[in-house]
């Protein structure tokens, strides 16, 4: 199959899904364009901040995409292009997009509250506590994995077999541009909040800033080692997740969304111009190098198909910024389908290389393989290979860095909410509660644990991250299904995704625990692997308990009615 045919099939399937299935769900559940959304009702200038649809879409898309839709399909390509493509399209439409829309819908209908509060309201207080603990542990995994991905993208040095160290110009340029993005985001945030300009003027300013940052990055690359970037990135995350969303999160995502959309458009053009052939086998079997198609495929490809992390963004940050209920469908359902398109492009990218060809070109990581392939495609159109390679690397780092902004904030909020109940008097809290609910303390403890895990490397963390991520999608689907049932709305479309992902995640986490336990019995565990084993056991236990509690609520008889004899 050619790259163009893959692309056409994806465009038709995903575009048709938005127009038909997305609108079907919207009509089935119902929206009220005249309703006062939480962004206005609870506006506080920090988390609840009304924003235009394009701004919230930029935040949602940039936050959920991360490095996942690029890393996942490329890693899963060992099973062949057919199962990867089928899971991206089927999972993206009937699993991921449904979860994202349902999570945002439930949140907006409940004053912008997180999935944790949805669980408390419709399942119970214990369920909420356990879910928040699960979310916090999961967020630590995401921060660790994505921070290491970004540090690797920024790493300015490499060493050959002889130990000779040389500079990586592309990485240095990406690092400079990314740092400039952060400074420009602060300026843009001030403009968006205080200047009150027309949205097209704001868009023009954002694009000019974007171009300026890229040009300066290419001209003045910064070279620092991976370990140094780890420290800088975590310092940035510390600031990003405690400042008001309008000051950094919204404008940074607004800037990045244009870069990411330009990248996707450029990649699509590149595929149509180059029409790359597919050098992957359609199917390589159910067991490849000791890895089983089930469940490995379904936890490796999370972002791009279904990702529990999306539910945290949909209900944790984006739902607090939506100005009108009509925006929920394009912001949630639409952004998910856009991410599925990116995953298809990643599949086409890795399929364009023959066996061993990417490694021969020095492309060893998933982002490098993706960037190298897109650069090869656009070279056919006459664009310089080095320039395109640098820009694509920049976009990938923007994905991951933007996800870090959001997930660190969600992790901090989850930790704080775990210790807070509706009956707690904030003015007369104990000293202990004052400390653990302090946003700075919650942020620091979250980031310290994430930093320790980041030193293990994202490649080691990714399987556990994928399993935990998909288990989170189970919990989000259960919570949303219970919400739809309790509010007399149809939720049967969530049942099959829920059941399938339960089977996937419980199997995958159990396999991870067995693998780490065997390593402990034979060679002992390092600090990083010990943390992974503890996380895996806790996540499985917490996930099972919350899922069981939710299923009981979902299956219980309606109040006031007796079961049929």
């Amino acid at each position: 199959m050619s790259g163009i045919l893959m692309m056409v099939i994806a465009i038709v399937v995903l575009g048709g899904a938005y127009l038909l299935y997305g609108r079907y769900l919207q009509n089935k559940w119902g929206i009220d364009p005249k309703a006062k959304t939480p962004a206005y009702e609870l506006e506080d200038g920090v988390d609840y901040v009304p924003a235009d649809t394009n701004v919230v879409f930029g935040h949602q898309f940039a936050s959920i995409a991360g490095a996942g839709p690029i890393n996942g399909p490329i890693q899963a390509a060992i099973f062949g292009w057919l199962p990867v493509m089928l899971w991206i399209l089927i999972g993206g439409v009937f699993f991921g997009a449904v979860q994202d829309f349902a999570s945002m819908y439930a949140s907006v209908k409940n004053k912008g509250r997180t999935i944790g509060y949805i669980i408390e309201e419709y399942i119970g207080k214990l369920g909420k506590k356990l879910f928040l603990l699960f979310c916090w542990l999961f967020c630590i995994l995401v921060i660790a994995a994505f921070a290491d991905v970004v540090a690797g993208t920024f790493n300015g040095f490499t060493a050959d077999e002889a130990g000779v160290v040389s500079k990586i110009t592309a990485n240095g340029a990406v690092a400079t541009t990314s740092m400039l993005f952060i400074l420009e985001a602060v300026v843009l945030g001030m403009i968006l909040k205080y200047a009150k300009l027309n949205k097209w003027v704001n868009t023009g300013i954002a694009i000019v800033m974007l171009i300026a940052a890229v040009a300066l990055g290419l001209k003045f690359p910064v070279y620092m080692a991976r370990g140094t970037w780890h420290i800088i990135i975590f310092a940035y995350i510390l600031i990003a997740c405690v400042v008001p969303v309008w000051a950094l999160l919204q404008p940074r995502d607004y800037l990045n969304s244009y870069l990411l959309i330009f990248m996707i458009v450029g990649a699509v053009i590149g595929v149509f111009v180059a029409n790359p052939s597919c050098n992957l086998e359609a199917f390589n079997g159910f067991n490849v190098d000791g890895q089983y198609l089930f469940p490995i495929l379904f936890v490796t490809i999370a972002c791009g198909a279904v990702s529990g992390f999306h539910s945290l963004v949909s209900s944790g940050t984006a739902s607090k910024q939506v100005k009108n209920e009509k925006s929920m469908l394009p912001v949630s359902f639409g952004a998910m389908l856009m991410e599925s398109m990116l995953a298809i492009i990643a599949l086409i990218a890795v399929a364009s290389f023959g066996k061993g060809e990417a490694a021969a070109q020095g492309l060893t990581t998933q982002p490098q393989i993706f960037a190298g392939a897109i650069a090869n495609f656009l070279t056919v159109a006459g664009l310089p290979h080095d320039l395109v390679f640098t820009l694509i690397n920049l976009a990938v780092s923007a994905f991951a860095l933007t996800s870090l902004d959001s997930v660190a904030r969600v992790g901090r909020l989850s930790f704080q909410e775990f210790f807070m109940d509706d009956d707690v008097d904030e003015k007369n809290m104990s000293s202990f509660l004052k400390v653990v609910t302090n946003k700075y303390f919650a942020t620091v403890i979250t980031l310290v644990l994430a930093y320790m895990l980041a030193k293990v490397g994202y490649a080691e963390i990714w399987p556990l991250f994928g399993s935990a991520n998909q288990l989170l999608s189970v919990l989000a689907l259960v919570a949303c299904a219970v919400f739809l049932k309790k509010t007399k709305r149809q939720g049967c479309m969530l049942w099959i995704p829920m059941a399938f992902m339960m089977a996937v995640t419980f199997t995958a986490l159990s396999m991870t625990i067995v693998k780490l336990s065997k390593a402990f019995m034979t060679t002992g565990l390092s600090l990083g692997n010990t943390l992974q084993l503890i996380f895996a056991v806790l996540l499985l236990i917490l996930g099972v308990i919350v899922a069981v509690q939710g299923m009981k609520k979902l299956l219980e008889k309606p109040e006031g009615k007796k079961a049929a004899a």
Side-chain angles (χ1 to χ4, degrees):
M1 181 178 288
S2 69
I4 286 181
L5 186 53
M6 281 186 180
M7 184 66 68
V8 170
I9 291 173
I11 291 172
V12 171
V13 170
L14 298 174
Y18 181 84
L19 295 174
L20 299 175
Y21 193 44
R23 290 180 177 175
Y24 164 80
L25 293 176
Q26 180 177 261
N27 294 334
K28 204 71 178 175
W29 294 340
I31 62 168
D32 182 2
K34 297 180 180 179
K36 193 173 185 180
T37 62
Y40 284 114
E41 186 180 356
L42 302 171
E43 184 173 359
D44 61 5
V46 178
D47 294 312
Y48 290 86
V49 180
D52 291 334
T53 301
N54 59 329
V55 174
V56 188
F57 176 89
H59 161 69
Q60 176 82 4
F61 178 57
S63 297
I64 67 173
I70 292 171
N71 284 4
I74 293 176
Q75 288 186 42
I78 60 171
F79 295 108
W81 64 262
L82 184 58
V84 172
M85 186 171 181
L86 287 175
W87 174 233
I88 290 171
L89 295 180
I90 295 172
V93 173
F94 296 104
F95 289 60
V98 172
Q99 176 210 244
D100 294 9
F101 185 28
S103 299
M104 181 172 288
Y105 183 84
S107 179
V108 169
K109 292 295 187 180
N110 283 273
K111 300 184 181 299
R113 289 175 171 172
T114 63
I115 290 293
Y117 275 108
I118 304 298
I119 289 176
E120 179 181 26
E121 178 71 20
Y122 298 99
I123 296 177
K125 185 173 289 187
L126 177 60
K128 174 203 170 184
K129 290 285 189 184
L130 296 176
F131 178 79
L132 288 172
L133 182 56
F134 180 98
C135 285
W136 181 61
L137 294 174
F138 170 73
C139 287
I140 291 171
L141 282 174
V142 179
I143 295 168
F146 282 13
D148 188 58
V149 168
V150 175
T153 307
F154 290 176
N155 178 29
F157 303 100
T158 186
D160 59 21
E161 295 179 357
V164 178
V165 177
S166 57
K167 294 179 178 179
I168 309 174
T169 304
N171 288 12
V174 169
T176 300
T177 301
S178 297
M179 294 301 102
L180 288 173
F181 266 19
I182 295 170
L183 297 176
E184 290 180 347
V186 175
V187 175
L188 184 60
M190 297 291 183
I191 294 172
L192 291 173
K193 183 171 178 64
Y194 296 113
K196 307 296 182 184
L197 301 174
N198 180 277
K199 67 179 181 180
W200 295 111
V201 175
N202 291 332
T203 298
I205 293 171
I207 292 174
V208 169
M209 285 182 165
L210 176 64
I211 294 171
V214 171
L216 289 171
L218 292 170
K219 185 71 174 176
F220 304 104
V222 171
Y223 300 102
M224 284 189 281
R226 191 189 198 108
T228 304
W229 280 117
H230 271 141
I231 296 171
I232 294 173
I233 289 165
F234 274 93
Y236 161 71
I237 301 170
L238 175 64
I239 297 170
C241 73
V242 296
V243 299
V245 293
W246 65 264
L248 185 57
L249 193 69
Q250 278 186 352
R252 178 178 161 71
D253 291 348
Y254 191 34
L255 273 173
N256 278 339
S257 64
Y258 287 101
L259 175 64
L260 306 182
I261 290 171
F262 289 157
M263 184 196 77
I264 291 176
V265 171
V268 171
I269 293 172
V271 170
F272 279 100
V273 170
N275 190 20
S277 58
C278 181
N279 293 307
L280 286 176
E281 293 291 334
F283 182 59
N284 289 324
F286 291 97
N287 185 347
V288 180
D289 298 331
Q291 299 199 68
Y292 295 94
L293 181 77
F294 182 92
I296 302 301
L297 174 73
F298 306 100
V299 295
T300 302
I301 304 176
C303 301
V306 57
S307 167
F309 169 60
H310 295 191
S311 68
L312 301 185
V313 178
S314 296
S315 68
T317 55
S319 63
K320 297 175 176 63
Q321 302 173 47
V322 171
K323 292 173 71 172
N324 192 298
E325 288 192 7
K326 290 190 300 182
S327 300
M328 288 191 287
L329 182 65
V331 168
S332 58
F333 201 94
M336 177 63 230
L337 297 185
M338 180 76 80
E339 187 186 59
S340 295
M341 177 60 70
L342 178 59
I344 291 293
I345 294 171
L347 174 61
I348 296 171
V350 69
S352 69
F353 290 107
K355 188 174 182 179
E357 186 181 349
Q361 295 180 20
L363 308 174
T364 56
T365 67
Q366 285 79 25
Q368 287 175 341
I369 292 170
F370 180 80
I374 304 304
N376 290 340
F377 300 163
L378 290 173
T379 299
V380 177
L383 295 177
H385 186 280
D386 289 346
L387 174 62
V388 176
F389 183 78
T390 300
L391 291 176
I392 298 299
N393 264 315
L394 168 63
V396 173
S397 71
F399 275 140
L401 200 55
T402 303
S403 292
L404 284 170
D405 293 354
S406 299
V407 76
R409 185 176 290 263
V410 170
R412 183 258 292 176
L413 290 171
S414 296
F415 186 87
Q416 290 176 281
E417 288 177 13
F418 179 82
F419 296 97
M420 289 293 293
D421 290 313
D422 291 338
D423 57 355
V424 172
D425 183 359
E426 295 188 28
K427 295 181 180 179
N428 298 305
M429 284 194 301
S430 66
S431 298
F432 173 76
L433 280 181
K434 286 181 180 178
V435 171
V436 295
T437 57
N438 178 274
K439 68 179 180 180
Y440 299 105
F441 177 84
T443 300
V444 169
I445 193 171
T446 301
L447 296 186
V448 166
L449 288 172
Y451 181 79
M452 293 167 65
L453 268 177
K455 306 307 280 186
V456 176
Y458 85 91
E460 291 295 321
I461 301 169
W462 199 264
L464 179 55
F465 156 71
S467 301
N469 188 32
Q470 302 305 64
L471 182 50
L472 180 57
S473 74
V474 171
L475 304 183
L477 287 166
V478 169
C480 291
V482 174
F483 158 75
L484 292 171
K485 178 185 177 181
K486 295 287 187 180
T487 56
K488 313 295 184 188
R489 295 178 173 94
Q490 191 178 94
C492 61
M493 60 285 291
L494 275 61
W495 282 62
I496 292 177
M498 183 196 317
F500 181 76
M501 296 313 297
M502 276 187 189
V504 166
T505 53
F506 292 156
T507 303
L509 272 174
S510 298
M511 289 171 63
T512 299
I513 291 170
V514 170
K515 177 184 174 183
L516 290 170
S517 298
K518 286 181 177 178
F520 176 75
M521 297 298 291
T522 54
T523 60
L525 289 175
S526 63
L527 175 61
N529 284 338
T530 302
L531 280 175
Q532 286 194 79
L533 179 58
I534 294 171
F535 273 49
V537 172
L538 286 174
L539 289 169
L540 181 59
I541 293 171
L542 292 170
V544 169
I545 294 173
V546 177
V548 168
Q549 283 197 323
M551 290 303 295
K552 285 181 178 178
K553 289 289 184 181
L554 200 55
L555 297 174
E556 72 180 7
K557 306 175 189 69
E559 294 180 6
K561 293 183 181 180
K562 293 184 178 180

